[in-house]
Structures are given as structure tokens and as C-alpha cells.
Amino acid sequence: MVEWIALDRLAVSPRPGRIVGEAEHGAVLHPDFRLQVMRWQQAFARAPGHDWALYFDDTLAFAAALLGAWHAGKRVFLGGDNLPATLDALRPRVAGFAGDVPAHHAPLQPAADADADVEGDLVPLDEDQLELVVFTSGSTGAPSAIVKRMRQLTREVEALQAAFGEQLEGTQVHGTVSHQHIYGLLFRVLWPLAAGRAIQPRRFFHEDLVSALAQQPSVLVATPAHLKRLPEQLDWSSLQGQLRAVFSSGGPLPEEAALQARALLGVAPTEVFGSSETGGIAWRRWSAGQPQWHPLPGVAWRIQDGCLAVSSPHLENTDWWQTQDRVEADAGRSFRLLGRADRIVKIEERRVSLDALEQQLRAHPAVQDVRVLVLPGAREQLAAVVVPQQADVASWDDAQRRRQAQALGAHLASSHDAVTRPRRWRFVDALPLNTQGKVTFAALTALFRPQFPVVQWERREADTAALLLPLDPDLIAFDGHFPQAKILPGVVQLDWAIHYARDVFTMPPRFERMDALKFQHVARPGDCLQLTLGWDAAKSVLSFRYVSDHGVHASGRVVFGDV
């Protein structure tokens, strides 16, 4: 049995034979990992400020930096990604960044002069003082900061080990989720470090996941979004019992996906239910249809106003936390989830269950998946984002989309009147996912504020093309440019011309200049523009012309050059 290390002592003293993880050059032993922690500790100790943001692609590098920052007494902020908007939002909150962020953010580097032989430099961490800040998106999509003390994380790791540790002895940990989120942090970093399970430093995707899992006894940390998309054509039989456990969190795993994952992977998925605010609450294992939820060790629960309330060491204090999850008690200490109370909405004074709408739409044979939401505005509207069964949505025209929406509306008519049915529909090949594999409100809402029109190509040839662009009033391009009226800006017309030209022509990457640019008539919502494109490869010149029933709107030439 591998020695368990309390989180507060993970890097305190070397354990020569203990493998922390795998890297390109081979196994990373505990003394090498400890040295990396010490290098980061010295770098953070010299750095000003209390709050620092970390982003690393490599999980082992992230783990060393996290422990180094904590050993230097820093509070650590974890952004979900390293996109410019995310880093810009973090910038006012922190003293600086460390990890895989652009050079203009001046990321902190580990110290080069740490002494590997000094054992007294690192003392046990203070789990009541050290903090981590993660972000979660609420119903509005705006990220909310959640502060977690190390004590809360420690208790949750201990609960996971008590519930599942025995079956995972001697395994290595693979994941399709990022350690930058609380689920990945616990399951891919903190719990494996404490339990002596080797960490795989990168996220895996379907193409190389099978070979990775088949090499030795393994654990897979995934999300419902990933488990729903396991390709059947891969050689899953090559796992030959090497996969000991599959964990899923971040949202409910549909029964069909759970049973298919069990058939392909050879092990029943274990779902862990909780949130960034509450920590882990309960688990269930899909060895049969619709299993009940069992509380994790140390978690107390009760039903309060029809919803689940919990008390556990994973919370900031001993108070009961009221969730918005409707539940009913099951046999023994287990319970069943009945949907979210906050997904009961009022539309024109009528109560509507978004869960019930989704459930009924999923029952339609043409629907693979769906999300129903309320679009904000002066008059709130129900909207649905639908993934059809085996359909290439990109090839649909407006008439096909309209027929599909009418068919699904008719399917709902037996139980929902016109007021309580979705009025707006979007059909997509896959639901939009963030880096945690979650479908967010912000991403769904953005589908109803498209950046580009739904185009219809009339001609696509080597040097000429033509397409129709109906101007939907909801296009983002109409926002804010002309406060008195919705007018399609000229800069957008130029951008669209280049965007669609790159779809059909092989063009150099660099924009050089514009020639003969003319804007003759304004384009408004409801207009249908015909865009004609011409490409002169010898001169690297793109010509474009927008016309409609109102005449010529714009025309011009764009000159390109090589890098």
C-alpha cells in the first residue's frame, strides 16, 4: 500500500522512491517534484503581492507551482483558460501571473537557485489560512469567484479516498478535464498526490485515450460531454480490464450515455454530484438503470422546502447550505434528484419547467440533445438549442430549420400552449462546451446573437463565388454602431467579404491595403444581400460587391501579400 500524505505535508520531505507523475522523459520522483516546489516557493516569496493567478497546460508543472505559491503564503486564483478576455478580467484582481500566459503579462518564473538538499526549507502548510479562488458561471453566465480554504479541499480529498480509494490502489490518473477547475484540481492533482497515484501531465482526447489507458491500471476523470461522445469505432477491447474506474462530474450523465460508456469501457461510470460552492455532496454508480445518490463520507443532508440542504466539512462553515436541487428521499440514506428548482420560470405569469420541456423534446425521435433557456430582454422569451439526430445542420437552409422547429413545436403542443413553448430555435451539430466540458448560459445565449448570417451559397468556383446573406435583426453586427438605427457597418461588410472569400479561395495571410472602396446604400435588418466575390490569384486581389433589391450597397478591392 502506498503511503498516504496529508495535503499540508505533500512537499515537506523527500520520499525517494515515490512516483509523483509521468513526463516525456519518464517517471517524476518525489524529490524532483519537491525541488520544483521549492523553486516556485522561492520565486513567489520574492514576488510582491498576496494574490497570484496560475495557468498551466501541464498538470505536474501546475501542481508544483500551486504548492510553491502556498508555501510562500500566496492566495492562488485559477482562471478556467488563458484566453485574453479571461486574463484581462483577472488582471485587476492579482499581483501577477505564472505559467503558460503571453509574455506581455510577464509571467513569474521559478527560481533557479533552490537547494535540493535542504529539508528544512518547507514546513507543513497552514490549511486554515491558505486559500484558492476558483470561478463558476451562474444563471447569467457572469463568472463568480468562489474562495476555498485548503482545509475544505483537504477534507474533500479525504472523503474521496474513504469512498473510492481502495479500488484505485496502484493506478495512474488520466483525464479529459482541466486541472484549472475545481473538479479537475481535486481528481487530477490533489487526490492523486495524497494517495500516491501517478499523474499524467496532459489532458487526453479520444484519439489517443485508448492507448494511454491500456498501458497499465488507470483511472479516467471525465465529464458527461466527453462520455457521451465516445467513438464506437475505437478498439476499446484493448483496455483488457486495465481501467479501474471512470469518474464523471459537472452535470448529469444521461442513462443512455452511461450504459454505453459502461459497455465500451468495461467499467460502470461513477458520477460525483456537487458544485464549486458546496464541494462534493454525493455519488452514484451506473451498474443499473437510474441509480440513487449516496452521500459522500462526512456529508449530512436533509430536504428543506422540497430542495436538498447539506452540511459538510467541504463547506466554509458548519451552517446548512440550501441548494436549488429538488430531491426525494430514497431507501436508506440515499436520495434521487428531481431537477433544479431554479429552472422553474415564469413566462407571462405562467410557470414553466425548463427541465420538463427538455425531457419532452428529448423524447422526440429527431432530437439527440437539447437545452431550453430564457432569453433576457424587455419581453422574456423561451428558446431551445437542439442537436438533431444524425443531421448535418450546417447544410440546412432556412426552410429546413423552419420545418424542424414547427415539428418540435407541434410535438410539445399536447402539453404546452403557445405561451409556454419555445418561440425561438437554434439547431446545432453539438452543444457549445467550455474547457470544463460544460454548456454555459452565456454560450447558449450567444447562439441567438450570431456573428455571421445564415448564408446560402449560389456559386463556388476557383476565381468567383456568390452567396446570399439574409440580415437577421439579432446579428451582433447591428449592436451599438449607430444608436439611432440598426445599420450594418461598412467595416463589418469588409470583414464578411474577406471571411467568406477565405472559405472558397486560397489567399495569402497578410492584409496589405484596400482599393476603390465605396459604400453607396445602407443595409438594414431584413435586407437580403447578395455578395459577389472575385479572386485574381496573379495579383492577390479580392474584389467584392454587395447588392440587394435596393441596389448596390458596397464594393471594393482588397490586396493581400505573403507573410
Side-chain angles (χ1 to χ4, degrees):
M1 178 176 290
V2 177
E3 177 193 5
W4 176 266
I5 304 179
L7 290 186
D8 63 343
R9 296 177 179 270
L10 279 175
V12 171
S13 60
R15 290 166 171 80
R18 183 171 179 146
I19 297 176
V20 175
E22 299 291 335
E24 290 185 5
H25 59 272
V28 176
L29 298 180
H30 193 276
D32 300 320
F33 176 73
R34 177 179 177 274
L35 176 59
Q36 291 302 311
V37 173
M38 294 177 66
R39 294 180 65 195
W40 278 111
Q41 185 271 337
Q42 292 190 17
F44 278 112
R46 297 166 184 168
H50 179 250
D51 296 339
W52 281 77
L54 302 186
Y55 182 88
F56 288 81
D57 291 321
D58 185 292
T59 303
L60 281 176
F62 165 82
L66 172 65
L67 290 175
W70 273 344
H71 274 288
K74 305 298 187 183
R75 180 166 66 165
V76 174
F77 283 65
L78 298 187
D81 52 57
N82 60 350
L83 296 175
T86 303
L87 300 180
D88 289 345
L90 279 172
R91 177 78 268 182
R93 294 173 174 261
V94 298
F97 295 86
D100 301 315
V101 298
H104 67 267
H105 287 288
L108 186 69
Q109 301 299 318
D113 53 354
D115 187 348
D117 297 324
V118 178
E119 294 190 18
D121 284 355
L122 298 175
V123 298
L125 297 170
D126 188 339
E127 65 175 27
D128 287 316
Q129 294 298 319
L130 294 172
E131 294 178 332
L132 180 85
V133 181
V134 295
F135 292 86
T136 185
S137 294
S139 59
T140 64
S144 300
I146 309 295
V147 179
K148 309 287 286 189
R149 292 192 184 276
M150 187 182 174
R151 167 180 46 80
Q152 297 169 253
L153 301 172
T154 300
R155 299 293 88 75
E156 187 160 0
V157 165
E158 291 169 351
L160 294 174
Q161 178 67 12
F164 313 114
E166 186 175 343
Q167 71 191 83
L168 307 183
E169 189 72 30
T171 57
Q172 61 179 355
V173 180
H174 297 272
T176 63
V177 298
S178 171
H179 52 252
Q180 297 286 141
H181 299 275
I182 190 69
Y183 169 45
L185 172 72
L186 288 163
F187 279 73
R188 293 190 61 210
V189 180
L190 299 182
W191 184 19
L193 282 177
R197 289 189 281 277
I199 297 171
Q200 287 294 332
R202 65 186 182 95
R203 284 195 289 166
F204 283 89
F205 298 93
H206 292 141
E207 290 73 15
D208 50 7
L209 183 60
V210 176
S211 59
L213 293 174
Q215 292 179 10
Q216 63 188 80
S218 300
V219 177
L220 175 60
V221 181
T223 68
H226 300 129
L227 294 179
K228 285 192 294 185
R229 292 172 172 79
L230 295 176
E232 295 185 30
Q233 68 271 20
L234 297 182
D235 184 18
W236 298 104
S237 63
S238 64
L239 298 183
Q240 298 180 339
Q242 293 282 49
L243 185 59
R244 299 283 182 82
V246 177
F247 291 100
S248 176
S249 190
L253 183 61
E255 180 175 357
E256 180 181 354
L259 298 180
Q260 183 185 35
R262 185 184 68 179
L264 293 176
L265 300 173
V267 60
T270 299
E271 283 188 89
V272 178
F273 164 60
S275 68
S276 298
E277 295 89 344
T278 64
I281 294 174
W283 65 276
R284 66 178 181 179
R285 184 166 295 139
W286 281 91
S287 54
Q290 290 295 334
Q292 64 270 42
W293 291 96
H294 307 279
L296 285 168
V299 175
W301 65 276
R302 66 189 184 192
I303 299 176
Q304 193 169 295
D305 298 327
C307 290
L308 181 69
V310 296
S311 175
S312 85
H314 314 160
L315 291 164
E316 183 179 4
N317 52 49
T318 58
D319 296 340
W320 285 86
W321 180 281
Q322 175 78 49
T323 76
Q324 291 296 308
D325 297 287
R326 296 181 295 114
V327 296
E328 65 179 8
D330 209 333
R333 297 182 60 243
S334 60
F335 59 83
R336 294 186 182 273
L337 293 172
L338 305 177
R340 295 279 295 179
D342 54 7
R343 301 202 79 213
I344 304 292
V345 299
K346 277 194 173 182
I347 301 294
E348 297 184 16
E349 305 306 317
R350 305 280 294 280
R351 287 173 61 85
V352 183
S353 168
L354 303 185
D355 286 331
L357 276 171
E358 290 178 357
Q359 184 177 0
Q360 189 168 350
L361 284 169
R362 287 193 188 97
H364 192 283
V367 174
Q368 180 188 120
D369 205 354
V370 64
R371 291 292 189 277
V372 178
L373 65 154
V374 178
L375 293 178
R379 183 179 181 183
E380 292 184 329
Q381 290 183 314
L382 286 173
V385 179
V386 179
V387 180
Q389 291 279 11
Q390 300 176 343
D392 180 11
V393 175
S395 67
W396 288 10
D397 57 23
D398 286 345
Q400 287 174 288
R401 295 171 188 273
R402 191 161 48 249
R403 285 195 299 270
Q404 188 66 50
Q406 290 170 347
L408 295 179
H411 172 70
L412 295 173
S414 62
S415 56
H416 294 79
D417 62 18
V419 172
T420 58
R421 296 198 298 265
R423 295 190 177 190
R424 301 185 63 189
W425 301 80
R426 289 291 183 269
F427 297 94
V428 296
D429 289 315
L431 293 174
L433 303 176
N434 64 10
T435 56
Q436 199 181 1
K438 287 188 175 183
V439 180
T440 66
F441 177 83
L444 293 174
T445 305
L447 295 174
F448 295 88
R449 305 302 315 280
Q451 183 177 357
F452 296 101
V454 178
V455 304
Q456 180 179 339
W457 288 91
E458 295 183 312
R459 185 171 69 255
R460 298 167 66 110
E461 298 173 6
D463 57 0
T464 184
L467 61 157
L468 296 177
L469 297 88
L471 300 186
D472 189 316
D474 291 324
L475 283 166
I476 293 175
F478 286 122
D479 284 358
H481 296 278
F482 303 98
Q484 289 75 29
K486 285 193 171 187
I487 296 174
L488 188 66
V491 66
V492 173
Q493 296 178 50
L494 177 63
D495 179 67
W496 285 359
I498 297 172
H499 170 81
Y500 292 114
R502 292 197 183 279
D503 276 352
V504 288
F505 308 135
T506 302
M507 297 164 52
R510 184 166 59 85
F511 171 92
E512 283 196 351
R513 67 180 187 275
M514 296 178 293
D515 289 339
L517 189 62
K518 296 180 181 179
F519 295 103
Q520 296 162 270
H521 287 95
V522 297
R524 300 179 184 275
D527 290 343
C528 184
L529 304 182
Q530 182 190 55
L531 171 60
T532 303
L533 301 168
W535 175 242
D536 186 336
K539 298 179 180 179
S540 294
V541 173
L542 169 70
S543 60
F544 69 92
R545 188 168 183 260
Y546 289 94
V547 301
S548 76
D549 293 340
H550 305 295
V552 179
H553 291 268
S555 62
R557 294 190 298 270
V558 186
V559 182
F560 292 86
D562 293 322
V563 176

